[in-house]
Amino acid sequence: MTEADIEHLLFLYALQNAVKHESPPKTGTVIGALLGRHPEFRGNARDIGQIASKVVAEVTGMSASERRTRLEELAPELLAELGEEHEHTHELQPLEAAENGVVMRFAPNPSGPLHLGHARASILNDYYLRRYGGRYILRVEDTDPRRVDPAAYEMVLEDVEWLGLGITDIVYQSDRLDIYYDWCRKLIEIGGAYVCTCEPERFRELKLQERECPCRDRGIEENLELWQKMLDGEFYEGGATVRVKTDLSHPDPAMRDYSAMRIVNSPIHPRVEATVFPLMNFSVAVDDHLLGITHVIRGKDHIANTQRQHYIFGYFGWRPPMYYHYGRMSISGVVLSTSAMREGIRNGTYTGWDDIHLGTLRAIARRGIESEAVRNAMIDIGMGETDISFSWENLYARNREIVDPKANRYFFVPDPVEVSIEGAPRREAHALLHPGDPGRGVRTLISDGRVFLPRRDLEGQCMVRLKDLYNVRIEREGEKLRVSYAGDSLDEARKAKAPIIQWVPVDANLPCTLLRQEGDLEGFCEPSVANEVGRVVQFERVGFARIDSVKAGRVNAYFAHR
């Protein structure tokens, strides 16, 4: 794609942003829209800034009516999105002091791929980036070698791309160890930290008694010497720790002289040669300041961490970001624990990180849930402080809005029974690929009277209508099943309140496994389903499913929802 193409896209997104907010577009928001829809440009984010500034200036000079007219002429689909957005999403609470743009951050640990719990924080941050413009930093917090999975670095980037986050910068904390070492030394120099060589259990006892350890009164020079010895490898794991001086009488013992730097000899970090690593609260406080983070959105389980980080900001005289803490979100029905997932994959309980019993984003995607549905569901939840349970039904409803208009319809017969319909004529059925879009065409099914029907629909004695074909009567004589042709009249079927059921010809079908969380369904589907690999279809009377693969003449599909 040429520079002119990029400029054209930026122009369209600038128009869309201006029409949406009825105000001049913001450069950061326009760049975020481009990078969110075209992640392949993320490596050129800084170069794009100059082009975006030029485009924003051009759109700013246009009248409101001219902006709308140009957008309708050049990209009516972007104008239509605004109507859909107005209909399906709601505005979240404004952020304080955000009018001139924001600098947000999403900070996962590379211990495994991202899951639904990560989605909330990442999407809320992205929402405000799009709303106010600015920068969005992906900060990979990898300073605990015991929680780093080397393969997760790539998985996290893939998941971020799938979510469509408008990331403008990527930072790896393991690349910044010298920065943390420098600020740790400075904190010691101003008397805000000390090196503790107490046995960990002894320090814990003193802390619980609100008493200071003997190391707390060491002079600055002695602390600096011990700090250098830590860096020189003269201490082993557990032998020395840098602690931040706090209030020893604080009601929460975890707040009292918490650790800032510690030694980790094993395992070896996959990216750096080091044994001294910062703990989360120290590295986060330093990075939030140096990277210019303006607003932090995270769960209220981090409230204590926010208080710990305030000590660092206070010692250095830094202005802290604006903090927003949302309530806990419990997610049932899937496994979210990274350690449990990894063990399950290792012992064969799960097929991989995208196993449908897991709550990873890649498992959600494999089932046919679109990233935009996840986004809309998380914005629906918002960042209220009340604890909630995640609603799968809301996610499914949001996904249905997206996939229903584009999912082709097909027949899948679970738990099939082969029947010969007495007196049935040879007949062609022409079923619409999509009932709301006749122009999409039809699929043709030919029946010679031998069909597969769902076992559950053959119980009792009744009339049923084979969809798009004809009526049949089902009768049971003891254990014997009799199925006979009952005419073509749809009106007669309606009068009889006959259920309309799916079917497939005996001589034209494909074996199909529908993988579900509650257990797999075996059956047969239409042969043309094989052309839908990678796409979501609707199996009529069954639900939406993503066609995952076709191997050795068998379709494997993942159930999404009804």
Side-chain angles (χ1 to χ4, degrees), residues 148-347:
V148 172
D149 176 356
Y153 286 101
E154 188 63 30
M155 288 192 286
V156 166
L157 294 180
E158 291 170 352
D159 293 341
V160 164
E161 181 176 352
W162 182 78
L163 280 173
L165 304 180
I167 299 296
T168 58
D169 304 82
I170 301 178
V171 172
Y172 295 88
Q173 286 192 327
S174 57
D175 291 340
R176 300 168 62 81
L177 293 183
D178 287 341
I179 294 174
Y180 306 135
Y181 296 162
D182 185 44
W183 284 101
C184 180
R185 178 181 56 78
K186 292 176 180 177
L187 189 59
I188 293 172
E189 288 175 341
I190 62 176
Y194 61 95
V195 177
C196 177
T197 54
C198 294
E199 290 289 332
E201 188 56 40
R202 176 56 179 161
F203 176 83
R204 191 174 299 110
E205 292 174 0
L206 293 171
K207 178 177 69 173
L208 292 175
Q209 298 169 13
E210 301 183 17
R211 296 167 55 194
E212 63 180 47
C213 79
C215 308
R216 204 174 196 262
D217 287 334
R218 284 195 179 108
I220 290 174
E221 291 304 318
E222 186 178 359
N223 276 313
L224 289 174
E225 288 177 8
L226 291 171
W227 167 237
Q228 189 58 49
K229 287 183 178 181
M230 287 179 65
L231 295 177
D232 291 342
E234 296 185 29
F235 288 102
Y236 288 93
E237 192 165 327
T241 304
V242 177
R243 302 191 186 279
V244 178
K245 286 186 178 179
T246 66
D247 180 2
L248 289 176
S249 62
H250 194 285
D252 180 2
M255 301 294 294
R256 301 170 191 166
D257 283 17
Y258 66 85
S259 300
M261 287 279 182
R262 71 347 192 160
I263 298 168
V264 180
N265 293 120
S266 178
I268 304 300
H269 197 286
R271 296 185 82 244
V272 292
E273 293 183 7
T275 56
V276 178
F277 293 93
L279 282 95
M280 186 269 286
N281 283 298
F282 184 76
S283 60
V284 164
V286 170
D287 281 342
D288 280 354
H289 170 70
L290 296 182
L291 299 174
I293 304 300
T294 60
H295 299 77
V296 173
I297 300 174
R298 56 186 177 181
K300 67 181 183 183
D301 52 316
H302 282 284
I303 289 177
N305 288 327
T306 297
Q307 295 172 354
R308 292 185 186 96
Q309 290 157 30
H310 270 294
Y311 280 103
I312 307 296
F313 280 87
Y315 276 123
F316 290 126
W318 297 337
R319 181 178 178 177
M322 304 291 298
Y323 293 96
Y324 294 84
H325 300 93
Y326 51 74
R328 293 176 176 85
M329 181 177 72
S330 61
I331 304 174
S332 62
V334 292
V335 180
L336 291 174
S337 165
T338 300
S339 59
M341 287 190 277
R342 179 175 287 106
E343 175 58 23
I345 293 170
R346 187 194 65 77
N347 64 31

Side-chain angles (χ1 to χ4, degrees), residues 425-455:
R426 180 179 177 85
R427 188 69 56 80
E428 281 192 7
H430 302 284
L432 289 172
L433 276 168
H434 195 289
D437 185 8
R440 201 178 299 183
V442 298
R443 72 254 194 208
T444 300
L445 297 165
I446 301 175
S447 169
D448 62 0
R450 295 178 304 121
V451 298
F452 284 113
L453 299 180
R455 186 180 301 276

Side-chain angles (χ1 to χ4, degrees), residues 442-493:
V442 298
R443 72 254 194 208
T444 300
L445 297 165
I446 301 175
S447 169
D448 62 0
R450 295 178 304 121
V451 298
F452 284 113
L453 299 180
R455 186 180 301 276
R456 67 178 184 181
D457 292 311
L458 298 176
E459 298 174 358
Q461 300 186 31
C462 63
M463 176 191 287
V464 299
R465 181 171 181 84
L466 305 190
K467 191 172 187 304
D468 299 303
L469 192 62
Y470 45 59
N471 306 329
V472 300
R473 188 167 299 281
I474 300 171
E475 299 172 286
R476 281 195 175 272
E477 300 170 356
E479 294 297 317
K480 186 177 180 181
L481 176 69
R482 181 175 178 228
V483 182
S484 57
Y485 173 66
D488 297 336
S489 174
L490 180 57
D491 288 339
E492 187 176 338

